[in-house]
Amino acid sequence: MATKTKAGPTKYEISINGKTATVVEDTYLLKAVMDAGFNVPTLCHHKDLTPDGTCRLCLCEVETNGKKKLVTACNYPVRSEIKVKTNTEEIKKHRKSLAEMYLGRWPNVETIQNIAKLCGATDKEKYKSDITDENPKACILCGHCVRACSSFMIQDILGFAGRGIKRHLTMPFGDVDPHCVGCTSCGYVCPTGAIQITDDMNNPVDPELIRRHGMKVNAEMATLDKMQNRMREVGTANIVEVMDAYDLLPVHNFKFGKHPDTHKIDSKVMTRDYFTQGAADACWLGCSMACAKAVDGFELKTGPYKGEKVVVDGPEYETAAGGSNMGGFDLDFIVEYNFYCDTYGIDTISFATTIAFVMEAFEAGIITEEHTGGKKLNFGAMDEALECLHEMARGEGFGVEVGQGVRRLKEKWVKELGADPEFLNDIGMEVKGLEFSEYVSKESLAQQAGYAMAIKGPQHDEAWLIFIDMVNNQIPSFDDKAEALYYFPLFRIWFGLLGLCKIVWNDVAPADNSKYPPQEAAKIPEHVENYWKFFEGMTGIPVDEDKMLLQAERVFNLQRLMSYYFGRGTREDDMPPLRAIGPATVEEYLSREERYDKQMKEEIGIDPEGKSAEEKLAITRDHRFKQYNKVIDAAYKRRGWDENGVPTVERLKQIGIDIPEVMALLERPDQ
Amino acid sequence: MGITLHDIVFKVGGGIPNGRKFKAIQTGGPSGGCIPDDMLDMKVDFDSLSEAGSMMGSGGMIVMDDQTCMVDVARYFINFLIDESCGKCTPCREGLFALSKILTRITKGEGREDDLEQLQELSETIEASSLCQLGGTAPNPVLTTLRYFEDEYIKHIKDKTCPAGICTELITYSINDNCTGCVICAKNCPTEAISGEPKELHTINQQDCIKCGICLESCKYNAVEVK
């Protein structure tokens, strides 16, 4: 999910040894110099690590306003129109001298010998002393490993100790640090072999292949995340303000996509006031993304642990957006419901979407305080929402009803209270009995289908296409969307089967990912390749797109067939509520009247002029369902399913799972 | 500001004790430079001090008399700075250590022909390429002593002598005819290297002498000589 900047970056024309080069502001001089075709020696520089400027070999002369000075190119950001010289007599002299110092200390290390040669230093005896280390694999104090540990792993397990000439590499207190998980980043970046990788657990077939691609992931997370998403810093919470900006943040049971109070629950407030640990918090130690976050010392205001200070894991985006969906624009509330959902074993998304539905029903008068046990459950009624949560856990009062979820509430209220079934179905945000996760899918056809067609219900374990569809506009046509609804669920299923996480697939994209055509770019091809190589490195079996899709498609079709066998998994089960695909009420239509009127005119071909809001809502509803049906028709076809959404025998044969046990699933016991 | 070094040393500070001769003044702390007596009329300000190869630095001043060896002074300050260096950048870490090695061997009489050139070369690289100002100024004691007291270095290297009588490996203590046989020196000698009957001329056994200088300090008759 690489975010693009709208205004172009500032650029400078600089002169390098008389040659003119155009350089983007803040580019490090070393890169600019190398890009311009000049070679500058360096030992401590590593392309994936923050520059350190410690070996001093990359000295260059920089002239600004007639004043000349020597700088280290690796950590000198270009911020004006400078004149650079990379190889003056003075520089050559210093480089040679530095190289001789290195040669005196570590004469047999190949990296040092190469640098010395480059700098014209040959005399190994010149600075030879009693501390000369003859080991060809000696540590040369370049600090690659220390920086890799800190920037890849967000750990400080390796570090330098000792002052001056006593500087040496160590773990804390000279002991083996039990926090080291053996990620091998340090060994990978070590230029001399001073750090050796001695053991590869789980006996992968090709550990080097895994490591190569793992390090690529590490390097990208360390260098690109801070520019693209800041997920290492703020977790998934950064999406709150992005979604609000794109009118996609669920507000008041998905009625709206933004709210003036979003700033009270966005990532700025979370990082400032709530994420207080100031440390990496990864799902597993060794993850270079470490996007999990936690709130420390949070004092609970309700429930059985009232008054106690607790640590709360989260909130993640969907929990925060669940807050806005209930109208709870208060992080204290969000963190509190996050904590109690975790404690009670309740999913925050299902809780929030159900309560949002209850709130809308309460405001619509379908239920009253009589049904809720006296609770005024308007949008934003945070204390009351929390009370519902505690009642759910205790199995008491209205909580017993709420705990059944949206689908059963709809059925119950129609049956027992005589509520309007169409209204409840339009606003009840569930498919297949599962509550919607927290994105407004109204304006993204691909996302609507991605949600509603998902085998286990409307969540993005299968396809989260909202960004590539709406924000990046990478899949404009029906065919593109159908292809996306074929490929992405399969890819997600495939790496899910491997037990791998999606964050390092598409949240951070390679800096040059846009070089691929849009549909390809949406897949993030180089990151997909990482997953293939992990598979190959572990099993020894090479994978490509066809093989991956085949592996996944077998599982996907089996899941769909099992769903079918148990009475779900047909077209009617893939139908979303109206609110998931468009405005469901007059209030909602009018809130975005300009947009919907424009669409009516341009896409439907009907002039909205003179029509009542009710008429316009009906026209839009009709159109949106037609569009939705078209998209799932296209997706079924691409998947090789019949128009009822059931896998065809032909397709099962094609993918080689037409074995009797699977074929038997086509015979539903209820038919 | 603006007062001359001479006035600070002789008027404010009261001059050199024990009637000894002024030799050099080091300003600005350990990484300052050593300024010789023919520059004593220099006014104390930032620019003048920098121009002379030293600095204002901490504002501290160390005044040295003619019993100070300038090579030894440079070695002393560089060794002090080696302990101060954080060790992060190569020139300060490795370069100061190399400087110390060369200075030490000169004070031991093991100096080589090209040592002065190496000292100059190392100092310039350390000064120009260090990451911070500790390394940027650390070679000052070497650069200024080379600049103002080069002959003293040469005497150490070529003649294997220490004119100030400090570098123990290059000097010998002996007792001349002034000796009255008072036995004070022999009593004070920590290694019992001095022998002689009372009221007779004493002699120093060179093999046992550790050149600590206690005999010289304790003799009231100017009978102990250093060469």
Side-chain angles (χ1 to χ4, degrees):
Chain A
M1 199 179 71
T3 5
K4 291 166 191 158
T5 48
K6 283 186 185 97
T10 313
K11 289 178 182 174
Y12 296 105
E13 293 231 313
I14 67 171
S15 147
I16 304 170
N17 299 336
K19 184 176 169 183
T20 306
T22 309
V23 178
V24 174
E25 183 171 34
D26 281 341
T27 303
Y28 286 121
L29 183 58
L30 185 68
K31 187 177 182 305
V33 165
M34 297 290 209
D35 286 351
F38 298 101
N39 196 14
V40 168
T42 169
L43 264 184
C44 69
H45 181 72
H46 187 285
K47 68 180 173 56
D48 299 324
L49 298 170
T50 317
D52 213 13
T54 55
C55 79
R56 317 303 288 169
L57 284 163
C58 65
L59 284 177
C60 285
E61 182 191 281
V62 165
E63 186 181 334
T64 348
N65 302 326
K67 276 188 191 162
K68 291 177 184 174
K69 62 174 176 183
L70 290 179
V71 303
T72 38
C74 68
N75 59 356
Y76 183 88
V78 175
R79 284 177 185 163
S80 59
E81 308 215 314
I82 48 175
K83 276 187 201 164
V84 185
K85 283 190 179 144
T86 66
N87 219 13
T88 64
E89 286 309 311
E90 191 200 1
I91 291 171
K92 279 198 264 185
K93 189 183 83 180
H94 293 321
R95 281 193 195 137
K96 185 180 171 201
S97 183
L98 287 166
E100 282 168 346
M101 293 178 200
Y102 270 120
L103 210 51
R105 181 91 186 261
W106 299 290
N108 299 322
V109 173
E110 200 185 335
T111 319
I112 299 283
Q113 290 170 342
N114 293 341
I115 282 288
K117 209 187 247 174
L118 213 61
C119 300
T122 48
D123 191 351
K124 285 186 183 180
E125 302 298 315
K126 193 164 176 182
Y127 297 130
K128 192 173 174 167
S129 73
D130 46 342
I131 59 160
T132 296
D133 187 346
E134 305 282 351
N135 179 3
K137 288 183 175 173
C139 166
I140 57 168
L141 307 177
C142 67
H144 284 179
C145 54
V146 176
R147 282 177 281 153
C149 192
S150 124
S151 70
F152 290 178
M153 289 299 122
I154 327 181
Q155 295 288 328
D156 294 302
I157 285 162
L158 280 170
F160 287 117
R163 293 180 67 149
I165 201 71
K166 298 192 185 99
R167 185 176 177 86
H168 62 281
L169 184 67
T170 181
M171 285 187 182
F173 310 108
D175 228 337
V176 174
D177 189 336
H179 297 96
C180 171
V181 291
C183 76
T184 71
S185 299
C186 54
Y188 185 80
V189 296
C190 176
T192 70
I195 300 177
Q196 291 280 329
I197 300 159
T198 54
D199 178 39
D200 279 301
M201 288 189 293
N202 304 333
N203 301 313
V205 173
D206 187 351
E208 262 312 302
L209 183 66
I210 299 177
R211 196 166 291 122
R212 236 178 8 252
H213 285 269
M215 292 303 153
K216 228 179 103 187
V217 172
N218 288 346
E220 285 188 358
M221 296 310 124
T223 52
L224 299 175
D225 174 64
K226 56 190 169 209
M227 293 183 279
Q228 295 183 3
N229 290 338
R230 300 185 301 123
M231 286 176 76
R232 295 173 130 205
E233 184 197 336
V234 303
T236 52
N238 74 316
I239 312 175
V240 173
E241 53 263 37
V242 178
M243 289 299 133
D244 186 79
Y246 283 101
D247 206 21
L248 297 172
L249 180 76
V251 170
H252 296 174
N253 194 30
F254 299 90
K255 271 191 218 173
F256 315 116
K258 59 166 67 196
H259 195 278
D261 286 338
T262 300
H263 66 91
K264 293 180 184 166
I265 60 166
D266 68 9
S267 69
K268 282 186 221 77
V269 190
M270 282 196 224
T271 36
R272 193 188 63 207
D273 300 337
Y274 289 86
F275 296 151
T276 45
Q277 292 187 319
D281 182 9
C283 300
W284 53 281
L285 210 49
C287 173
S288 53
M289 176 46 108
C291 62
K293 295 287 166 272
V295 182
D296 272 328
F298 182 77
E299 192 176 329
L300 295 164
K301 296 187 194 68
T302 67
Y305 299 108
K306 184 178 174 178
E308 284 187 36
K309 286 193 172 172
V310 294
V311 177
V312 187
D313 204 6
E316 291 210 46
Y317 163 73
E318 309 234 22
T319 304
S324 63
N325 210 6
M326 295 182 278
F329 292 91
D330 179 348
L331 271 169
D332 273 0
F333 162 68
I334 289 169
V335 175
E336 181 121 356
Y337 102 77
N338 189 156
F339 173 82
Y340 275 114
C341 278
D342 290 354
T343 305
Y344 295 148
I346 294 167
D347 170 39
T348 53
I349 298 173
S350 282
F351 169 75
T353 299
T354 304
I355 292 289
F357 170 69
V358 169
M359 286 172 164
E360 187 165 0
F362 184 85
E363 292 203 342
I366 288 168
I367 51 167
T368 63
E369 284 172 66
E370 197 188 312
H371 307 100
T372 65
K375 287 183 280 297
K376 283 192 177 130
L377 274 161
N378 295 87
F379 285 115
M382 297 179 257
D383 293 344
E384 291 77 1
L386 283 168
E387 187 47 38
C388 280
L389 180 58
H390 298 310
E391 283 181 1
M392 272 165 72
R394 292 198 302 265
E396 285 173 10
F398 186 53
V400 178
E401 279 181 49
V402 178
Q404 308 283 312
V406 172
R407 174 168 281 203
R408 296 219 179 130
L409 284 174
K410 287 194 297 192
E411 287 163 4
K412 186 180 164 71
W413 292 342
V414 170
K415 205 165 124 193
E416 293 178 12
L417 308 177
D420 174 8
E422 187 177 76
F423 175 68
L424 286 187
N425 281 331
D426 284 351
I427 66 155
M429 292 295 281
E430 59 85 21
V431 174
K432 301 182 180 81
L434 182 74
E435 286 73 22
F436 266 74
S437 66
E438 310 297 341
Y439 291 95
V440 172
S441 55
K442 279 174 217 173
E443 301 305 320
S444 164
L445 258 179
Q447 181 64 38
Q448 293 159 18
Y451 266 162
M453 293 169 75
I455 287 167
K456 72 174 104 148
Q459 45 70 55
H460 46 76
D461 189 32
E462 279 181 29
W464 189 81
L465 304 170
I466 201 158
F467 234 80
I468 65 174
D469 192 19
M470 276 190 67
V471 178
N472 296 344
N473 198 23
Q474 288 163 315
I475 44 172
S477 73
F478 274 101
D479 282 347
D480 295 338
K481 292 183 209 302
E483 187 59 36
L485 286 163
Y486 170 74
Y487 176 87
F488 288 101
L490 292 181
F491 173 57
R492 281 176 177 257
I493 279 172
W494 185 78
F495 71 68
L497 289 168
L498 303 188
L500 297 170
C501 167
K502 64 86 56 175
I503 299 280
V504 300
W505 160 50
N506 75 338
D507 280 273
V508 170
D512 60 351
N513 189 54
S514 55
K515 72 185 175 197
Y516 296 99
Q519 289 91 329
E520 274 302 298
K523 295 177 181 174
I524 326 271
E526 284 166 34
H527 286 185
V528 173
E529 195 198 7
N530 288 339
Y531 287 79
W532 294 345
K533 297 300 177 191
F534 293 148
F535 183 87
E536 183 181 341
M538 207 64 218
T539 63
I541 303 165
V543 199
D544 55 18
E545 185 163 307
D546 290 342
K547 282 185 188 155
M548 169 187 80
L549 292 176
L550 180 63
Q551 287 180 2
E553 208 170 349
R554 288 171 169 170
V555 177
F556 190 45
N557 279 278
L558 180 64
Q559 288 175 345
R560 181 74 174 183
L561 277 174
M562 287 170 75
S563 186
Y564 174 76
Y565 182 80
F566 289 113
R568 297 261 191 276
T570 58
R571 192 179 189 100
E572 72 174 324
D573 301 303
D574 291 344
M575 295 310 281
L578 175 58
R579 182 160 285 158
I581 62 169
T585 60
V586 169
E587 177 199 16
E588 220 174 319
Y589 189 98
L590 293 177
S591 76
R592 306 285 186 274
E593 190 177 20
E594 203 181 319
R595 180 198 298 162
Y596 297 136
D597 279 0
K598 188 165 174 263
Q599 286 173 356
M600 191 174 297
K601 207 168 182 176
E602 290 173 4
E603 290 171 26
I604 313 176
I606 296 176
D607 188 357
E609 197 64 34
K611 294 203 162 43
S612 73
E614 285 78 7
E615 285 168 325
K616 291 197 282 190
L617 182 63
I619 293 166
T620 303
R621 173 199 188 100
D622 188 44
H623 172 70
R624 295 266 174 141
F625 270 115
K626 273 187 193 148
Q627 294 286 101
Y628 179 78
N629 277 305
K630 268 195 211 168
V631 122
I632 63 169
D633 278 340
Y636 285 162
K637 202 175 149 206
R638 179 66 188 89
R639 290 177 182 186
W641 297 353
D642 67 19
E643 59 189 25
N644 196 28
V646 183
T648 58
V649 174
E650 191 193 352
R651 190 61 169 175
L652 297 178
K653 278 183 183 160
Q654 277 172 6
I655 58 176
I657 55 166
D658 53 333
I659 52 173
E661 294 90 331
V662 175
M663 300 303 277
L665 296 170
L666 282 165
E667 308 299 325
R668 268 185 176 182
D670 60 349
Q671 283 177 355
Chain B
M1 292 285 268
I3 186 171
T4 63
L5 282 170
H6 183 278
D7 285 356
I8 292 178
V9 175
F10 291 95
K11 290 188 181 165
V12 181
I16 314 295
N18 306 327
R20 302 213 71 94
K21 204 170 160 284
F22 173 92
K23 185 167 184 181
I25 178 166
Q26 206 242 14
T27 72
S31 54
C34 299
I35 298 164
D37 64 343
D38 59 2
M39 290 171 77
L40 273 179
D41 290 336
M42 193 175 83
K43 286 179 177 168
V44 174
D45 59 55
F46 288 93
D47 294 339
S48 313
L49 286 169
S50 301
E51 211 172 295
S54 186
M55 60 182 188
M56 188 67 96
S58 63
M61 290 182 182
I62 297 170
V63 181
M64 294 168 271
D65 67 18
D66 56 357
Q67 278 190 330
T68 314
C69 168
M70 298 316 286
V71 184
D72 185 59
V73 163
R75 184 193 60 83
Y76 173 82
F77 283 123
I78 294 301
N79 281 349
F80 178 87
L81 290 161
I82 282 177
D83 287 338
E84 290 303 300
S85 166
C86 78
K88 189 174 172 181
C89 77
T90 312
C92 183
R93 184 185 66 233
E94 306 292 332
L96 289 181
F97 185 76
L99 279 181
S100 162
K101 286 282 163 191
I102 297 171
L103 291 166
T104 304
R105 74 171 172 244
I106 296 176
T107 59
K108 283 184 174 171
E110 294 159 8
R112 303 170 194 161
E113 285 281 315
D114 60 353
D115 274 355
L116 295 192
E117 199 186 308
Q118 278 192 24
L119 285 174
Q120 186 74 28
E121 187 183 295
L122 274 168
S123 296
E124 283 172 11
T125 296
I126 297 168
E127 189 178 35
S129 69
S130 285
L131 181 63
C132 80
Q133 274 309 297
L134 186 117
T137 55
N140 281 341
V142 179
L143 286 168
T144 50
T145 49
L146 277 175
R147 182 161 150 191
Y148 303 121
F149 302 95
E150 192 185 3
D151 55 334
E152 218 170 316
Y153 279 90
I154 292 170
K155 284 202 173 101
H156 279 74
I157 295 169
K158 288 196 174 155
D159 307 343
K160 310 292 179 199
T161 59
C162 173
I166 294 297
C167 299
T168 50
E169 321 254 339
L170 302 180
I171 53 173
T172 48
Y173 284 82
S174 58
I175 297 173
N176 64 23
D177 292 347
N178 292 344
C179 178
T180 60
C182 75
V183 307
I184 295 281
C185 61
K187 275 189 178 167
N188 283 325
C189 177
T191 58
E192 296 177 354
I194 302 176
S195 55
E197 294 300 310
K199 296 185 180 170
E200 281 175 21
L201 184 70
H202 281 44
T203 52
I204 300 175
N205 177 355
Q206 294 301 333
Q207 271 182 336
D208 294 340
C209 176
I210 57 165
K211 297 162 189 176
C212 66
I214 287 176
C215 53
L216 177 73
E217 280 167 28
S218 60
C219 179
K220 292 172 186 165
Y221 306 100
N222 280 334
V224 180
E225 285 180 354
V226 193
K227 275 177 191 161

